[in-house]
Amino acid sequence: MGRLTRRAFALAALTAFTTTGAAAAPAGGRRAAAEMRGMWLATVGNRDWPSRSGLSAAAQRAELIDLLDLAVSRRLNTVIFQVRPTADALWPSPYEPWSQVLTGTQGRSPGWDPLGTAVTEAHARGLQLHAWFNPYRIATHDDPAKLVASHPARRNPQWVVPFGGRLYYNPGLPEVRAFVQDAIMDAVKKYPLDAVHFDDYFYPYPVAGQTFDDEAAYDTYGGAFSSRAAWRRDNVDKLVLETAARIKAVRPTTQFGISPFGVWRNASTDSRGSDTRALQSYDDIHADTRKWVREGWLDYVVPQLYWNIGLSAADYAELVPWWAEVAKGSRTRLYIGEALYRAGDPTQPAAWQDPAELSDHLELAAAHPQVRGHVFFAAGDVRKDPIGAMARVVAEHYREPAQAPR
């Protein structure tokens, strides 16, 4: 698609944003084919919501509803809501404390149910609500004493590994894996979630000069494996397989999706890998993302392709066809994770200063039938949209409403 003139683009964007939104069909009643049009709504550190901790229940609810309405106005159809940001909960959970992002104090009730409200209000607007859980991150600091006294990590200190200034549950312990699933399944049982969603955090990303101390767990459970890396990958594989099975046993229509780091392995390491020179999820965070797709363990995958077209180390134009080939013939639907947050950021390369970069991503991906949609990081950036990159996506690609794939 050719690039619009500034005036033509402005008029198109204005028209797009003054329609009735995702729930209504355009003139003539036509709708686009089913495709994922999503946005992540991050709560860790109050990134996207709530705007700050300590707001009243009414103010928090109003901000949440405003973000759902924002999704509708941009003709999106899915919100991926982070409900377990740091081994805590945005619903009344018997397993974990209320998140401090709500009240400022971990364990203190906000006086309402954010997840329950989000599900109800999203569905009322024709949106899917995917509940986003971070499996192993306990805290963005490394002091267990800062956790509420009743926190499972304080009751079970043997589960905890400090690393890189943060606290993590040890993925190598079967009791940890069971507990994480139990905490997630509480939400699945209570709410008609459209999906359970994991992001890219499994084993933590490497930190120079530091080692993730799982020696004791490896000594106990790793004897059958050729290396610690192989054992760690098996631990993550078990989490994925067991979570998928437990979700389907309780709610067969609830999807299970993961948004992994965008590079599985580099071709220089593995001939099956991509023509990239980047961190490798298989080797560095022990997540065999290609296997999960090829084996059909997931309902959908959203690789985070957070790089611009033409970037030498990790070219968006190289990674989209690589992932399309991985998804080809599998039961796993492929969506692409888009770095809206980079658009207009002055610290980013020149490509991200062009409001057409993201729209060009969608144009490129449209040539690959395996790509069934896109998810944008994140809700706050959908709102701010400093250079109009999201507005351009809507004007050029989301002229008609579309249902999310089911």
Side-chain angles (χ1 to χ4, degrees):
M1 181 180 294
R3 298 194 175 188
L4 300 175
T5 66
R6 181 175 298 177
R7 176 173 173 77
F9 167 67
L11 290 172
L14 178 63
T15 301
F17 291 154
T18 54
T19 61
T20 56
R30 294 192 305 117
R31 284 185 177 271
E35 65 171 332
M36 168 61 76
R37 299 177 183 177
M39 72 178 187
W40 281 286
L41 200 171
T43 59
V44 64
N46 296 95
R47 188 199 188 277
D48 297 321
W49 177 89
S51 59
R52 60 179 175 84
S53 60
L55 294 175
S56 69
Q60 290 177 8
R61 186 182 187 280
E63 286 189 353
L64 182 59
I65 295 300
D66 185 57
L67 288 168
L68 298 178
D69 287 341
L70 174 71
V72 171
S73 74
R74 296 328 189 240
R75 296 203 188 95
L76 305 180
N77 53 35
T78 301
V79 173
I80 302 176
F81 182 32
Q82 190 177 35
V83 300
R84 186 180 184 265
T86 51
D88 49 17
L90 270 71
W91 75 96
S93 168
Y95 294 94
E96 295 179 307
W98 281 106
S99 178
Q100 67 183 20
V101 304
L102 298 170
T103 64
T105 301
Q106 191 174 62
R108 179 181 294 172
S109 171
W112 69 300
D113 180 356
L115 176 53
T117 299
V119 172
T120 298
E121 296 295 338
H123 290 172
R125 288 161 174 76
L127 298 167
Q128 285 195 12
L129 196 289
H130 295 203
W132 167 14
F133 303 85
N134 186 288
Y136 293 122
R137 182 174 60 202
I138 298 171
T140 55
H141 57 77
D142 61 2
D143 183 1
K146 291 182 179 179
L147 302 173
V148 65
S150 61
H151 198 290
R154 293 189 66 176
R155 297 200 308 267
N156 301 279
Q158 72 278 12
W159 292 1
V160 180
V161 180
F163 177 79
R166 298 183 175 190
L167 297 175
Y168 297 91
Y169 283 129
N170 187 343
L173 298 176
E175 58 268 36
V176 164
R177 191 167 64 246
F179 172 79
V180 167
Q181 293 172 34
D182 288 345
I184 292 167
M185 290 305 301
D186 181 66
V188 175
K189 292 171 184 176
K190 287 177 176 174
Y191 307 102
L193 305 176
D194 294 293
V196 167
H197 182 93
F198 287 174
D199 54 21
D200 56 320
Y201 289 98
F202 295 99
Y203 278 85
Y205 282 87
V207 176
Q210 297 196 28
T211 301
F212 188 81
D213 184 9
D214 56 359
E215 185 77 29
Y218 179 53
D219 287 345
T220 302
Y221 299 106
F225 296 88
S226 60
S227 67
R228 189 178 305 196
W231 169 71
R232 286 176 172 177
R233 277 190 293 275
D234 185 70
N235 294 331
V236 180
D237 283 352
K238 284 187 172 76
L239 174 75
V240 172
L241 268 175
E242 292 167 5
T243 302
R246 292 185 66 176
I247 292 167
K248 297 306 178 188
V250 172
R251 286 192 188 272
T253 60
T254 293
Q255 305 166 75
F256 181 39
I258 294 179
S259 175
F261 183 74
V263 173
W264 172 69
R265 298 188 98 184
N266 300 316
S268 59
T269 303
D270 187 322
S271 61
R272 298 170 297 172
S274 52
D275 183 15
T276 48
R277 289 160 296 284
L279 180 143
Q280 305 170 107
S281 66
Y282 180 94
D283 303 272
D284 294 311
I285 59 174
H286 311 292
D288 193 352
T289 54
R290 180 183 181 275
K291 177 181 181 179
W292 305 341
V293 175
R294 296 301 303 164
E295 296 293 330
W297 294 359
L298 307 176
D299 293 303
Y300 69 80
V301 67
V302 196
Q304 296 175 22
L305 303 192
Y306 287 177
W307 304 287
N308 56 275
I309 295 170
L311 184 70
S312 60
D315 187 347
Y316 184 93
E318 157 64 25
L319 283 161
V320 167
W322 187 88
W323 278 101
E325 187 62 29
V326 168
K328 187 176 182 180
S330 80
R331 66 170 290 272
T332 303
R333 292 189 300 275
L334 172 64
Y335 313 135
I336 303 298
E338 302 287 351
L340 175 62
Y341 71 96
R342 292 182 185 255
D345 181 344
T347 68
Q348 296 296 324
W352 292 107
Q353 312 313 314
D354 183 350
E357 175 70 23
L358 275 184
S359 185
D360 289 348
H361 286 197
L362 272 68
E363 187 73 17
L364 185 155
H368 301 276
Q370 291 80 20
V371 178
R372 300 281 302 279
H374 301 259
V375 183
F376 300 89
F377 191 86
D381 307 282
V382 173
R383 167 180 283 145
K384 290 181 290 188
D385 199 18
I387 60 170
M390 190 68 204
R392 189 156 192 149
V393 166
V394 175
E396 295 188 349
H397 300 278
Y398 295 168
R399 296 188 184 100
E400 300 174 7
Q403 295 294 324
R406 294 187 178 272

